[in-house]
Amino acid sequence: MTHTEKTIPVIIVGGGQAGLSMSWYLCREEVEHIVFEAKTACHAWDDERWDNFCLVTPNWQCALPGHPYMGKDPHGFMVKQEIIEYVEGFVDSFNPPLREHTAVTSITRHENGGYRVVAGNDVWHAEHVVIASGAYQDAVIPGYASAIDASIYQVHSQDYRNAAQLPDGAVLVVGSGQSGAQIVEDLFLEKRKVHLCVGSAPRVSRFYRGRDVVDWLADMQFYDLTVEKHPLRDGARDKTNHYVTGRNGGHDLDLRLFAKEGVGLHGTLKTIRDDVAQFAPDLTENLDDADKTNADIKKSIDAYITREGINAPEEAPYVPVWQPDGSNTTLDLKAAGITAIIWCIGFRPDYRWIDVPVFNGATKPVWRRGVTDAPGFYFLGLPWLHTWGSGRFSGVSRDAAWLASQITGKDVPVA
């Protein structure tokens, strides 16, 4: 097929909240551009979330450009349909040059400068390209999963919807990050027998000393901390998010309490062989580390309260309600009545379609505040692109405004 090359100043790849935030600023600055989206705008909120999904950050942190949260419950947590309506309202608030159902399949350097972008059946030449497709393309499921008895239903967290989707029987949830911990609660509330493989994810309390922990951390300017000033530097991007929930007004997710009430807790899953799950002997360590992270966050809040002279109610230290005995390192799936496994062990980014020298030896993109060493080539919407909020409703607007300033060569104020 012969392609007629088209020219446009800016191409944005990805029509989620990141790509559309970028489009919002470029529309305001009257910069000609186009947004390519392989599916539909912000589809992941509908297509890749379970029915009872809700935000884990309060509604007041929803601050897409020109579209702040205007509802009646700023300290509540939007449920799935409310999130969908919020992002749809953002798209409707301006007229983005969006092409849905148009996948970008190749990006290479153009011999005349800039980049050649193949999107659908068209070839484009653009001076600037913004990759806003996110870091969650390929769902991670281990290779040994294919050897598990076919009678055991397997699903990744992005395809889990509700307990009724699963066959009757017990469920093994693998991974204790935000998705895993919340799905365990979802199943537990439906009175399903659940086993959870507990990894190294940290936890955080929902409320402390009279306020949501997020409110405290915002006042402490934690969400303005840049990745360069984070103690872990770039390592912050590889850390698992703290597990907590906004369900029913928000509360702690205490895995020990789940165990006390009947959920089977196990260490990190090493493998499943002959339908026997084998766990690392690290359950106690993982639970203790998660609790320590939570305690350290509380200590930082205590110090802030003291330093600022704030009158806040005291709160007793957390006391673990359950302790493992350390002997539970195998589980016969059939004997335990397990009929389903939910893999909650994350995603891998897929950048195989990008042939531009912006990756390190581990095929990870390298940038500073989203700007790569390749002139006119940018990333947006990734975790800790610049701050904690970079991949979230709370911080993507600031990052998009910054990249708009790099494209236009002038200061672009944050909306």
Side-chain angles (χ1 to χ4, degrees), residues 48 50 155-161 179 183 342-344 347:
E48 300 176 7
W50 56 94
V155 65
H156 192 272
S157 59
Q158 71 172 355
D159 296 314
Y160 169 76
R161 294 296 172 266
S179 294
I183 288 173
I342 304 178
W343 300 101
C344 304
F347 299 81

Side-chain angles (χ1 to χ4, degrees), residues 64-277:
L64 294 177
H67 194 66
Y69 174 80
M70 298 297 288
K72 298 179 180 179
D73 191 13
H75 292 282
F77 306 89
M78 283 192 279
V79 297
K80 180 177 178 177
Q81 188 56 42
E82 291 172 327
I83 301 168
I84 293 170
E85 292 171 359
Y86 173 70
V87 295
E88 287 179 344
F90 173 55
V91 177
D92 292 342
S93 71
F94 70 117
N95 187 29
L98 173 66
R99 291 202 181 182
E100 297 179 312
H101 305 292
T102 306
V104 172
T105 56
S106 173
I107 302 179
T108 56
R109 288 179 288 186
H110 198 283
E111 60 269 21
N112 294 328
Y115 302 93
R116 177 182 282 107
V117 178
V118 178
N121 292 323
D122 296 320
V123 178
W124 295 77
H125 178 204
E127 181 182 357
H128 301 275
V129 173
V130 181
I131 305 300
S133 55
Y136 307 116
Q137 287 86 28
D138 292 343
V140 175
I141 296 178
Y144 58 77
S146 61
I148 296 172
D149 192 305
S151 67
I152 297 178
Y153 177 82
Q154 298 185 56
V155 65
H156 192 272
S157 59
Q158 71 172 355
D159 296 314
Y160 169 76
R161 294 296 172 266
N162 53 57
Q165 169 190 2
L166 310 178
D168 292 339
V171 183
L172 177 66
V173 177
V174 183
S176 58
Q178 284 187 1
S179 294
Q182 291 176 69
I183 288 173
V184 164
E185 181 179 50
D186 196 55
L187 295 167
F188 178 77
L189 292 175
E190 292 296 324
K191 304 189 184 308
R192 298 295 292 265
K193 173 62 181 178
V194 188
H195 292 265
L196 173 64
C197 305
V198 180
S200 60
R203 80 180 187 97
V204 64
S205 291
R206 176 79 276 165
F207 303 102
Y208 182 59
R209 299 191 67 174
R211 301 177 74 201
D212 193 304
V213 167
V214 170
D215 292 335
W216 285 121
L217 294 177
D219 288 351
M220 295 162 61
Q221 298 184 315
F222 172 80
Y223 301 118
D224 296 320
L225 177 70
T226 66
V227 68
E228 290 85 4
K229 294 182 179 179
H230 192 284
L232 297 175
R233 298 293 198 278
D234 290 351
R237 295 170 179 144
D238 299 322
K239 295 292 288 183
T240 304
N241 289 322
H242 303 67
Y243 56 84
V244 69
T245 185
R247 188 165 178 166
N248 298 326
H251 54 268
D252 294 3
L253 286 178
D254 185 350
L255 302 187
R256 297 180 193 269
L257 183 58
F258 280 144
K260 186 177 180 181
E261 295 180 350
V263 172
L265 297 190
H266 311 273
T268 304
L269 180 63
K270 296 169 62 178
T271 189
I272 297 176
R273 184 177 300 138
D274 298 326
D275 297 328
V276 175

